Amino acid sequence: MAARAPAAVCSKDTAPLGSLACRSCSAPTAGTNYFLGIDYENVQKLCDISGLRSRDNPQSTPEAHCKFLQQYRKIFIQPKPVLPKLPVLASTGLIKRPKRNGSDKVAESHLEKRYMDDIPRNLKEDVKTLSGILSKNPYYRTRSERLITYKILRLLPAINKRFADEELKDLSAKIFLESWEKSCIVYGYQSFYLILRGCAKPYSLLDEPLRPIHPPPWLDPTLSMLSFGDSFGSLLPMMDNAGHKVLSILTESNCQLVKVSAGQFENTKEEIIVRNFAMKEKVIQACRNYQHWPKLSLRKLVQLINWKKYPKDYVLVKEGEVSSIVGFIKSGQCYIFKDIEGLEKLPLGQVQSEVKHIIMGKLSENQSFGEISVLLRKPFTCTLITATEVELGVISERDILGLEEVYRMLIQQTSEPIMVHLTQEEVNNRYISLQKEKQWKRFKNKVIKETIFYRGIKPGVGKWNFTCSKKGNSKKNPSPSF
């Protein structure tokens, strides 16, 4: 009988390869589940099951046998499942872009530098500042940063043509910056974009959407490119975009775009309307004659008001003419002038009559004028001239006369004409007092000058003209007198 070969020994210990202790360190075979070791606590639990076969019990009970078969797998320590790692997605999409070689990077940097040169030299620092501010969340921008954003955007012609001044002030706190990589399509439907950095070319027209534009070979390629300061997109609905050519672009380099969405623009316009309505209502109700007006009648006038600004020394209404507007002063002051005919002495003793304009009073904020003149067609008894720059809430003559009779009667009952009870004697006395005050000032100035400049002593003139020197030098080298 052939002798049995000795069992192979494991490299870790002296246990044979066929034993359970070495099963865990052997190489895994395809299709076979291996365990890491034995859990001896569960082995003890299996031995403690009552009813199993033993020396005292020649046969196991069916209940103990079923319980053993259900729990015996727990004595093998199984390896923990290792989940696969999640793939790292690209920042701009699900598909990771292939790496570009050195020539592509050089071409891209050259192209970007070429179009960065289009930025005027005086705007390069402003562009950097604007890019840093817009990269923040609008909630974290300070008031000064919003003002800087508004001032920089006002320098760009594409913004000036598209947005009004008041709209841009509100949008400066809401707009944000978008960064796009090369060879990306940016759709401008329901959005307005301004190119801050980078370059792009038009991608589609309104009549042929999503169709690339290939300029003819004889055309200069720089003419078909969009760079700094150019805009595209539309804030209008799709059916109203007939006047807009470029609605989407294809980026030729890494671009930074200032975006204004249609929702932001609509919200801004609604906020401006509500704010202007509240301001007009406040200006009317601040006037003494309109403080007790009902809310419904007050809103009827608010709908007719338009804001207008007038420079200094502007004649609003002339004496003897019917006013063409009803004005509510929001800011500034107006002089009330009365005309009087006075005599003016000429150098050769002759006397000439001239029309003098006398200031009888002022109109300031929270005052109104022109209601009675427009409704009753009465000429003004005085002249109104702006003393400073004045902002008025103006209602035209046509709108006032187009109101219902109830509102016209209410205006006529609550309004008062300006200085209607002023008599000619009061105007003359005012003129005399102003002339006396003017003569007194002349006499006082003349006496003061004669007292100070007695005997022709005038500092800085003649022999009193000398240069001041330091104290140390004045004692050693006194200034010569003549």
Side-chain angles (χ1 to χ4, degrees):
M1 186 174 181
R4 180 179 297 179
V9 180
C10 180
S11 62
K12 291 187 177 179
D13 48 23
T14 57
L17 288 174
S19 62
L20 292 176
C22 194
R23 183 77 59 90
S24 61
C25 63
S26 60
T29 305
T32 306
N33 295 328
Y34 288 89
F35 57 91
L36 299 178
I38 300 296
D39 189 355
Y40 291 98
E41 293 183 1
N42 290 330
V43 172
Q44 187 63 34
K45 291 180 181 179
L46 288 178
C47 295
D48 294 340
I49 296 175
S50 61
L52 288 178
R53 182 179 178 182
S54 63
R55 294 177 182 178
D56 301 333
N57 187 14
Q59 189 175 2
S60 300
T61 60
E63 293 81 6
H65 181 70
C66 293
K67 191 174 182 181
F68 179 85
L69 293 177
Q70 292 175 359
Q71 297 184 6
Y72 88 97
R73 293 181 178 274
K74 294 182 180 179
I75 67 173
F76 305 109
I77 301 176
Q78 301 293 335
K80 294 182 179 180
V82 179
L83 298 177
K85 293 183 179 180
L86 295 176
V88 180
L89 301 180
S91 58
T92 57
L94 297 177
I95 302 175
K96 193 172 182 179
R97 297 181 180 274
K99 294 184 178 180
R100 294 168 292 181
N101 53 19
S103 60
D104 292 342
K105 292 181 179 180
V106 171
E108 179 182 348
S109 62
H110 177 73
L111 186 61
E112 186 172 358
K113 182 179 178 181
R114 174 186 175 186
Y115 284 95
M116 280 295 291
D117 293 340
D118 295 340
I119 302 177
R121 185 175 300 177
N122 58 337
L123 291 179
K124 287 186 178 180
E125 292 298 327
D126 294 336
V127 169
K128 292 181 181 179
T129 304
L130 182 62
S131 177
I133 293 175
L134 296 184
S135 60
K136 295 182 180 179
N137 192 308
Y139 181 79
Y140 296 106
R141 296 175 196 166
T142 62
R143 185 179 181 87
S144 60
E145 289 177 341
R146 296 173 183 173
L147 182 60
I148 292 172
T149 302
Y150 162 73
K151 290 181 178 180
I152 296 176
L153 292 177
R154 255 302 170 220
L155 301 176
L156 305 177
I159 295 291
N160 288 330
K161 294 178 182 179
R162 186 63 188 83
F163 302 104
D165 188 73
E166 193 172 3
E167 294 173 350
L168 187 59
K169 284 182 179 179
D170 289 3
L171 287 173
S172 298
K174 299 178 181 179
I175 59 179
F176 53 91
L177 195 67
E178 286 188 356
S179 298
W180 292 83
E181 293 184 354
K182 182 183 178 182
S183 302
C184 291
I185 303 173
V186 185
Y187 297 100
Y189 302 100
Q190 298 290 308
S191 296
F192 175 84
Y193 286 94
L194 175 76
I195 300 178
L196 196 63
R197 284 182 178 177
C199 55
K201 64 179 180 181
Y203 183 74
S204 64
L205 295 177
L206 184 65
D207 53 352
E208 298 178 357
L210 305 182
R211 180 179 176 183
I213 296 177
H214 301 285
W218 51 266
L219 185 65
D220 186 2
T222 59
L223 298 178
S224 60
M225 286 290 182
L226 301 177
S227 58
F228 168 76
D230 294 327
S231 61
F232 65 95
S234 173
L235 297 171
L236 301 175
M238 288 291 296
M239 301 303 296
D240 300 334
N241 282 327
H244 301 270
K245 291 185 178 180
V246 180
L247 291 179
S248 59
I249 62 169
L250 179 65
T251 58
E252 292 294 319
S253 65
N254 295 336
C255 294
Q256 287 185 346
L257 308 178
V258 178
K259 180 181 179 181
V260 180
S261 64
Q264 290 176 345
F265 185 62
E266 291 298 328
N267 292 337
T268 299
K269 290 197 297 184
E270 291 177 2
E271 290 174 0
I272 292 173
I273 292 173
V274 172
R275 187 167 61 247
N276 286 340
F277 189 89
M279 181 60 68
K280 293 174 182 179
E281 187 176 5
K282 181 180 179 182
V283 168
I284 296 178
Q285 204 167 18
C287 299
R288 182 173 58 86
N289 299 330
Y290 298 89
Q291 289 179 354
H292 302 290
W293 267 46
K295 206 73 171 179
L296 183 62
S297 302
L298 200 65
R299 290 184 175 180
K300 192 70 175 179
L301 290 182
V302 169
Q303 297 174 359
L304 304 177
I305 280 187
N306 295 315
W307 297 118
K308 284 190 177 181
K309 289 185 179 181
Y310 296 93
K312 184 181 177 181
D313 298 330
Y314 183 86
V315 180
L316 296 175
V317 184
K318 290 184 179 180
E319 183 178 354
E321 296 181 357
V322 178
S323 178
S324 60
I325 61 171
V326 174
F328 301 89
I329 302 177
K330 180 183 177 182
S331 62
Q333 292 181 341
C334 300
Y335 284 129
I336 303 174
F337 284 92
K338 285 288 290 184
D339 295 341
I340 185 174
E341 188 174 355
L343 299 177
E344 183 72 19
K345 291 183 180 181
L346 298 178
L348 298 178
Q350 298 178 356
V351 179
Q352 181 181 359
S353 62
E354 290 184 356
V355 177
K356 302 288 185 178
H357 304 286
I358 307 169
I359 299 176
M360 302 301 297
K362 285 184 179 181
L363 289 179
S364 56
E365 297 179 7
N366 304 330
Q367 289 184 308
S368 62
F369 63 89
E371 297 95 338
I372 301 299
S373 177
V374 172
L375 289 175
L376 302 181
R377 309 302 298 169
K378 287 186 177 181
F380 246 73
T381 58
C382 56
T383 302
L384 292 182
I385 301 177
T386 57
T388 60
E389 184 177 348
V390 177
E391 186 174 3
L392 295 179
V394 175
I395 303 178
S396 64
E397 177 184 1
R398 179 180 178 182
D399 293 335
I400 286 290
L401 297 178
L403 287 173
E404 299 177 3
E405 187 176 359
V406 177
Y407 298 109
R408 284 183 286 154
M409 292 295 294
L410 186 59
I411 295 173
Q412 183 177 344
Q413 291 175 3
T414 56
S415 301
E416 297 177 358
I418 299 175
M419 294 186 178
V420 67
H421 303 296
L422 192 65
T423 61
Q424 188 64 32
E425 184 178 358
E426 293 176 351
V427 177
N428 295 338
N429 293 335
R430 174 69 175 171
Y431 174 70
I432 293 172
S433 64
L434 290 176
Q435 290 297 322
K436 287 182 177 180
E437 185 177 357
K438 188 182 296 184
Q439 290 178 2
W440 165 245
K441 286 183 179 180
R442 289 176 182 174
F443 175 75
K444 181 174 64 175
N445 292 334
K446 182 179 179 182
V447 172
I448 290 174
K449 288 181 180 180
E450 290 178 354
T451 304
I452 294 177
F453 305 145
Y454 182 65
R455 290 185 178 181
I457 300 175
K458 296 182 180 181
V461 179
K463 63 181 180 180
W464 296 98
N465 188 10
F466 60 91
T467 59
C468 297
S469 59
K470 295 182 179 179
K471 293 183 179 179
N473 296 334
S474 62
K475 294 181 180 179
K476 297 179 182 180
N477 301 320
S479 58
S481 59
F482 299 95

